[in-house]
Amino acid sequence: MFKHAQSNPLGRRVIAAILICSTCLAILATGAQLVFDYYQGVSGIDARLDEIEHAYAESIATSLWTMDEQQTRKQIEGIARLPDVMTAELRDPADKFLMRAGVPLSSVAAANTIRRHIPIKFTERGTTDNKFQVATLEITASIDGVYAELRNKVLLILVTQTTKTAIVVLFTLFIFRRLVSRHLSSIATYAQRLDLNRLGETLTLNRQSTPHPDELDIVVTAFNDMTASIRRDVDELALYRQGLERLVEARTVELAQQVTEREDAIRRLNLEITDRLHAEQTARENEDRYRQVVEMSPDAITIERDGRIIFVNRGTLNLLGARNEEQVKAVTLFDMAPPEEQAVMRQQLDAILPSDGEPHSFEVKMRRFDGTLIDVEIRRAIFQYDGASAIQTVIHDITHRKSYEEQLRRQALHDALTGLPNRLLLLDRMEQAIAAAQRDGSTVHVMFFDLDRFKYVNDTLGHDAGDELLKTITRRMSLCARKSDTLARLGGDEFVLMLEGVDCEDTIYRLVQRLMATICEPVVLGGQDVAVTCSIGISVYPHDADEAGTLLKYADAAMYHAKEKGRNGVERYTAEMDKRANEHLVMEAHLRRALERNEFRLVYQPLLDLRSGRIAGAEALIRWQHPQLGMLAPVRFISLAEETGLINGIGEWVIRTACLQAKAWMDAGVSHLPVSVNLSTQQLIRPHFDAEVASALKNSGLPAHSLELEITESASMRDPERTVQLLHTLTAMGVGIAIDDFGTGYSNLSYLKRFPVRRLKLDRSFISDISTSATDAALTQSIIGMAHSLGLAVVAEGVENVNQLRQLVAYGCDYLQGYYFSPPVAPESLLAMVRAGRAIDMRSLAVTEASVSV
Ligand code: C2E
Ligand code: CA
Ligand code: CA
């Protein structure tokens, strides 16, 4: 903006105006002058021609008349030499050419000339009007001279005017800048910088003061007046604000004071009022309450004085089931107590009543006049009745409350599903039983039951079926137990049966047999027969422990032992089991950390193609490199991992690792070595299992057809619709599916038709007996035949000797897995095996190593 101001646009605009105006004026004036000069030049020539007429006409006439040709020519030539004259021509009256001087007429342009015809007349001497025309003189004059003069003049005017204008412009600019625009700039700067803090600065211009103020002075004065008035206003406002603030402050203090004063007043008033109200109320209440209590209360209310009942309300008759007041008045409270409560009643009635009106209350049972028992709360207080001191007794029926409390207590101590005592109540009863056994030297048996594979029922058939199973088993166990025994449910599928005073081991043995038999009888769940077995652990007081918690823990440990021994069995607690039970807990703790500590390994067992006898794949089998226990097989931890849910993370790790390994084999030059991975039921029902698999494949770069997933039948039965869908998704990706452990579960081949399965893995239990048991041989043969008819290939698991192999080959089995060829090995060993061309010679059925490495 200031830059713009310095370039002086205002000055330039003034100059432009002056320039345009003066140029227009100069053009007009010059034009007028030129026109005037032109006419003056032309009339000068005319005047000269007039002069010629006057000066020469007579003498030429005389020369012609005298026929003096020489003289005539001299005169004509004299005319032609005159300025501006170009030609002089003489013609006789008949217009015949006589003589000429100057340039010939034809060479003169007619436009720039003036022509004059002068008649030459001779006048006879002595007369004036006797004239004879003797010739005509034609003179042609040029006006080029006039034009040349005009051109010069224009040039001169142009030069002088331009110079003058330039000087005037420069001067005007200088003056304008000095006098006006620089001051305007400083006014602008001042106005721009002006704010509340600079209101004190006055505007002054850098110029000499003049006696008479000009426009700039007026502007400056106006500015300064304006800032001064703003300053005054601002000052005034500040003052006003200060005043206001002080006023508000003062007012606030004043108000606060008033408020506290008023609050105090109100508080005092309130106190007064409440005091008064309270006093009035108590007085009124004493009366009112009494009347109401007496008239409407369902409670029994009596008043006695000097040991005599002097008042009985209607409620008393109802509550006690009395026929009339006399019946009530005839007895004391003590008389109404049942024998077992009399001691309490006596004690409470003898208690000294406080004299301040606070009632003394207690809870007892009372027998009504009709003989039924009720729970009551009795409140007794001394009060003023008819001006004298009396005892009022209020009896309130709390039978409902008591039964409700009882119900609550039951709920806290019982399992909601089965109604059996829970751990809390069990421990309580155990303590009582131990105390009793201690007294009379008898024993307490604690039997810990855990259903085998209950989790599997829950997983495959759903929780409702699981609950149903638990209820059925509870019913059956209750039937086996005596009234005096305690059957409890600790949660999940764990039950405890506590037996008191059974010292005969034989009786215990028979009871256990009966329990196991009844538990494993099939239960119909969702239209299917489901049979579960159970594992039982037993601990005994006083042999094993004399404390309830420990006894229970030992029974639990014994039960675990039974489980580990292969389930469906009983174990008596022995001292070293405690250690094992602890181990179990320690194991769980370790398992939780195993993944992050990278303690899992995968070993790979080769799968043989029985047509070629060559390695056609490998099954990944997990191992746990336990920090203390060494390398652990899956039996030691997979079920624990499933129980704790850790299997999900572990399973995901297995898939990822197996895929990476298979890809590494490919990269090492093994053209096709698909890897099989075992899945647990829980993995199959995970929400995004297919995405997990896809990610493992993508991450490793392994082609999907090089991965096979092994699922068990039972896993696929959990939610068949969903499984079918999942398996289709997986096979659509290119992943192969195999049914593992076939023959141990439902073994329902027609059902399998619905699943997009590639292979069946025949369980080891079939193969192991194939050469000794005709049934197993026949079964194996027919399963292979049926599988083939369904388009499924069969893998025989656990082939350990050449006899088994022979039979399987004879039955047309497609693949083999087993120690006969190789146990599971480390991935490097498998690679070495493939490279060495290890195979089974299908003619001799012996394992050979090719001489040429692959
Ligand atoms: P499986 O899927 O039936 O695996 C075959 C088991 O049989 C393996 O036991 C293998 O070492 C063993 N085996 C192979 N050939 C023979 C043989 O000729 N004779 C005998 N007696 N045994 C043979 P392993 O490795 O102890 O695995 C046991 C089970 O643990 C597997 O049974 C599988 O159900 C489960 N499992 C293994 N790895 C995993 C895993 O990564 N995830 C899940 N969920 N389960 C796994
Ligand atoms: Ca398997
Ligand atoms: Ca298997």
Side-chain angles (χ1 to χ4, degrees):
M1 180 179 176
F2 289 118
K3 215 173 135 206
H4 190 62
Q6 269 154 14
S7 67
N8 207 349
L10 194 55
R12 281 203 231 159
R13 236 170 290 148
V14 169
I15 297 302
I18 292 174
L19 266 180
I20 292 169
C21 186
S22 73
T23 308
C24 288
L25 278 178
I27 288 171
L28 276 178
T30 313
Q33 174 82 43
L34 287 181
V35 169
F36 177 73
D37 283 0
Y38 173 79
Y39 283 109
Q40 215 173 21
V42 171
S43 62
I45 293 173
D46 267 341
R48 199 163 302 135
L49 291 181
D50 285 349
E51 252 173 58
I52 291 171
E53 199 175 337
H54 281 123
Y56 288 88
E58 227 176 85
S59 61
I60 291 174
T62 313
S63 318
L64 278 176
W65 191 260
T66 55
M67 304 274 258
D68 188 349
E69 199 186 324
Q70 211 174 349
Q71 183 68 21
T72 311
R73 175 158 303 277
K74 223 189 249 166
Q75 279 166 331
I76 295 287
E77 278 171 357
I79 290 168
R81 270 196 301 272
L82 285 170
D84 297 329
V85 177
M86 294 166 76
T87 320
E89 203 176 274
L90 212 53
R91 291 174 183 271
D92 68 3
D95 202 26
K96 219 176 101 207
F97 176 77
L98 292 179
M99 183 180 296
R100 179 193 304 140
V103 278
L105 260 180
S106 56
S107 67
V108 178
N112 292 350
T113 53
I114 297 173
R115 218 163 264 187
R116 172 84 62 95
H117 294 269
I118 302 169
I120 305 294
K121 291 177 182 166
F122 179 73
T123 316
E124 244 179 311
R125 216 159 279 174
T127 63
T128 48
D129 34 48
N130 219 1
K131 292 179 180 177
F132 304 94
Q133 175 149 1
V134 281
T136 311
L137 178 62
E138 190 182 273
I139 299 171
T140 308
S142 165
I143 53 171
D144 279 349
V146 176
Y147 281 139
E149 214 170 312
L150 284 181
R151 254 194 310 275
N152 287 342
K153 209 168 232 169
V154 166
L155 226 101
L156 187 72
I157 290 171
L158 262 181
V159 170
T160 51
Q161 281 295 327
T162 310
T163 319
K164 191 188 83 191
T165 312
I167 291 167
V168 167
V169 160
L170 283 178
F171 186 70
T172 315
L173 252 181
F174 171 74
I175 289 295
F176 191 80
R177 189 158 156 61
R178 209 179 139 64
L179 290 185
V180 182
S181 46
R182 73 182 170 114
H183 297 304
L184 287 179
S185 297
S186 37
I187 292 173
T189 313
Y190 173 82
Q192 278 233 320
R193 292 210 329 241
L194 195 66
D195 61 28
L196 284 184
N197 298 325
R198 291 181 199 259
L199 282 177
E201 295 172 15
T202 43
L203 170 63
T204 44
L205 297 181
N206 181 16
R207 64 205 295 251
Q208 245 135 35
S209 55
T210 43
H212 302 294
D214 59 8
E215 288 88 334
L216 281 173
D217 290 325
I218 291 168
V219 168
V220 167
T221 318
F223 248 103
N224 285 334
D225 286 354
M226 183 185 77
T227 50
S229 94
I230 290 176
R231 195 169 55 227
R232 269 195 310 280
D233 288 353
V234 167
D235 289 349
E236 225 167 273
L237 268 177
L239 270 176
Y240 184 64
R241 207 174 96 179
Q242 260 175 23
L244 261 185
E245 278 171 359
R246 244 174 279 138
L247 204 74
V248 167
E249 211 172 294
R251 205 58 201 124
T252 312
V253 172
E254 202 176 302
L255 276 175
Q257 228 160 22
Q258 278 177 13
V259 167
T260 29
E261 272 165 27
R262 258 177 231 177
E263 273 176 0
D264 281 349
I266 289 172
R267 207 171 301 133
R268 276 197 304 278
L269 216 79
N270 263 343
L271 278 177
E272 251 169 65
I273 291 171
T274 36
D275 281 355
R276 217 175 299 158
L277 276 180
H278 199 72
E280 277 170 26
Q281 203 183 358
T282 25
R284 205 176 37 239
E285 262 178 10
N286 282 344
E287 262 176 57
D288 270 14
R289 195 207 287 149
Y290 205 75
R291 207 175 309 132
Q292 269 187 9
V293 158
V294 167
E295 281 162 10
M296 328 223 334
S297 174
D299 292 345
I301 299 168
T302 59
I303 297 168
E304 56 188 288
R305 188 183 282 159
D306 307 329
R308 254 182 2 100
I309 293 178
I310 56 166
F311 175 82
V312 173
N313 77 338
R314 235 179 308 148
T316 312
L317 303 185
N318 288 338
L319 191 103
L320 295 178
R323 282 188 307 278
N324 49 41
E325 282 187 20
E326 275 57 50
Q327 201 179 3
V328 176
K329 285 179 179 170
V331 295
T332 63
L333 274 174
F334 180 78
D335 297 333
M336 308 284 294
E340 68 271 17
E341 292 278 78
Q342 281 174 353
V344 181
M345 187 72 100
R346 175 85 281 147
Q347 193 195 341
Q348 295 293 346
L349 290 179
D350 287 349
I352 295 165
L353 297 182
S355 55
D356 57 4
E358 277 297 307
H360 165 75
S361 65
F362 56 96
E363 288 175 13
V364 282
K365 277 192 193 305
M366 274 179 92
R367 190 176 295 284
R368 299 171 81 227
F369 287 104
D370 62 5
T372 52
L373 279 176
I374 51 170
D375 286 295
V376 294
E377 184 196 29
I378 298 179
R379 278 193 291 166
R380 282 158 63 78
I382 295 178
F383 86 130
Q384 295 297 310
Y385 185 75
D386 277 353
S389 152
I391 296 176
Q392 174 197 263
T393 305
V394 178
I395 307 173
H396 178 62
D397 188 348
I398 55 167
T399 313
H400 284 299
R401 197 187 86 199
K402 279 278 173 192
S403 83
Y404 183 63
E405 281 172 2
E406 175 60 29
Q407 208 176 321
L408 279 182
R409 215 176 6 256
R410 251 191 84 75
Q411 272 173 19
L413 295 173
H414 290 78
D415 165 49
L417 179 69
T418 59
L420 293 179
N422 62 12
R423 180 187 293 270
L424 218 64
L425 184 54
L426 173 69
L427 285 171
D428 186 53
R429 296 228 180 128
M430 278 172 75
E431 266 157 28
Q432 288 176 21
I434 288 170
Q438 210 165 19
R439 275 197 303 274
D440 43 52
S442 67
T443 57
V444 178
H445 280 75
V446 178
M447 298 185 181
F448 203 112
F449 290 75
D450 189 291
L451 304 186
D452 300 324
R453 307 223 173 276
F454 171 71
K455 199 175 150 29
Y456 158 80
V457 173
N458 244 351
D459 284 352
T460 53
L461 301 173
H463 289 283
D464 289 345
D467 287 353
E468 195 52 49
L469 179 70
L470 289 175
K471 280 198 266 188
T472 307
I473 283 178
T474 303
R475 252 193 322 273
R476 291 181 186 169
M477 286 176 80
S478 308
L479 286 177
C480 290
R482 302 171 306 171
K483 264 252 148 34
S484 56
D485 302 337
T486 299
L487 178 62
R489 178 174 173 230
L490 302 192
D493 55 350
E494 295 177 339
F495 294 88
V496 170
L497 182 62
M498 181 185 70
L499 307 172
E500 285 177 77
V502 185
D503 298 335
C504 172
E505 286 295 318
D506 211 38
T507 316
I508 297 286
Y509 177 77
R510 277 203 308 278
L511 176 63
V512 166
Q513 290 307 313
R514 210 163 58 238
L515 280 164
M516 285 177 77
T518 176
I519 285 172
C520 72
E521 254 175 60
V523 181
V524 184
L525 293 175
Q528 288 189 32
D529 271 0
V530 178
V532 290
T533 56
C534 67
S535 302
I536 307 173
I538 303 177
S539 64
V540 185
Y541 168 86
H543 305 283
D544 303 327
D546 51 11
E547 197 263 321
T550 318
L551 212 54
L552 192 60
K553 196 176 96 184
Y554 287 171
D556 189 5
M559 183 278 295
Y560 257 110
H561 202 67
K563 275 229 152 125
E564 285 197 349
K565 270 200 166 172
R567 306 166 198 261
N568 194 19
V570 197
E571 285 294 315
R572 257 297 314 267
Y573 172 78
T574 58
E576 76 259 22
M577 282 180 187
D578 190 27
K579 236 177 72 201
R580 297 287 300 275
N582 277 333
E583 262 173 28
H584 191 81
L585 287 177
V586 172
M587 191 82 145
E588 185 180 328
H590 272 290
L591 192 62
R592 290 194 182 276
R593 318 282 299 274
L595 206 55
E596 67 195 50
R597 289 189 183 167
N598 202 13
E599 288 170 355
F600 292 115
R601 309 272 177 275
L602 287 185
V603 288
Y604 297 86
Q605 186 173 35
L607 190 109
L608 275 262
D609 184 338
L610 284 179
R611 273 168 312 174
S612 63
R614 295 181 155 277
I615 297 175
E619 177 175 1
L621 293 158
I622 193 165
R623 298 290 178 267
W624 179 12
Q625 180 65 59
H626 191 283
Q628 281 94 41
L629 305 175
M631 195 69 98
L632 299 182
V635 265
R636 295 287 297 277
F637 61 91
I638 286 292
S639 59
L640 184 61
E642 283 176 339
E643 276 168 35
T644 50
L646 291 169
I647 193 71
N648 288 319
I650 297 175
E652 195 177 351
W653 176 87
V654 171
I655 295 179
R656 287 187 179 280
T657 312
C659 287
L660 285 169
Q661 184 58 61
K663 181 68 173 35
W665 283 328
M666 279 177 74
D667 294 345
V670 179
S671 60
H672 188 58
L673 191 60
V675 69
S676 306
V677 170
N678 292 288
L679 295 189
S680 139
T681 315
Q682 282 187 30
Q683 281 173 282
L684 265 189
I685 59 178
R686 256 161 91 78
H688 301 295
F689 180 66
D690 45 347
E692 235 170 68
V693 175
S695 136
L697 287 170
K698 187 163 169 249
N699 183 46
S700 61
L702 184 73
H705 69 264
S706 289
L707 176 67
E708 185 178 71
L709 298 177
E710 298 189 358
I711 60 171
T712 58
E713 270 179 291
S714 51
S716 58
M717 300 292 277
R718 153 96 210 222
D719 184 350
E721 296 312 317
R722 229 181 104 163
T723 309
V724 170
Q725 213 180 334
L726 172 70
L727 295 188
H728 276 294
T729 314
L730 290 169
T731 42
M733 280 159 57
V735 175
I737 305 293
I739 296 291
D740 204 358
D741 301 345
F742 189 80
T744 57
Y746 302 82
S747 307
N748 189 337
L749 268 172
S750 57
Y751 193 82
L752 279 182
K753 270 192 283 190
R754 301 182 52 206
F755 293 155
V757 172
R758 183 167 20 172
R759 284 203 274 235
L760 272 194
K761 300 192 79 174
L762 206 49
D763 191 64
R764 194 172 69 225
S765 54
F766 283 87
I767 311 302
S768 61
D769 292 340
I770 192 177
S771 44
T772 50
S773 153
T775 354
D776 277 2
L779 250 175
T780 305
Q781 195 174 7
S782 64
I783 289 176
I784 292 175
M786 282 194 293
H788 283 171
S789 72
L790 288 173
L792 302 175
V794 178
V795 184
E797 289 187 318
V799 179
E800 295 182 341
N801 56 53
V802 74
N803 292 333
Q804 293 166 345
L805 175 57
R806 279 214 180 90
Q807 245 166 312
L808 289 165
V809 171
Y811 298 159
C813 184
D814 309 272
Y815 298 94
L816 161 157
Q817 220 181 312
Y819 293 169
Y820 179 65
F821 182 74
S822 165
V825 294
E828 315 78 65
S829 312
L830 190 83
L831 183 62
M833 232 184 257
V834 175
R835 283 192 166 149
R838 200 177 144 93
I840 289 182
D841 180 351
M842 290 309 290
R843 275 158 307 175
S844 66
L845 295 184
V847 178
T848 59
E849 215 113 321
S851 45
V852 200
S853 63
V854 185

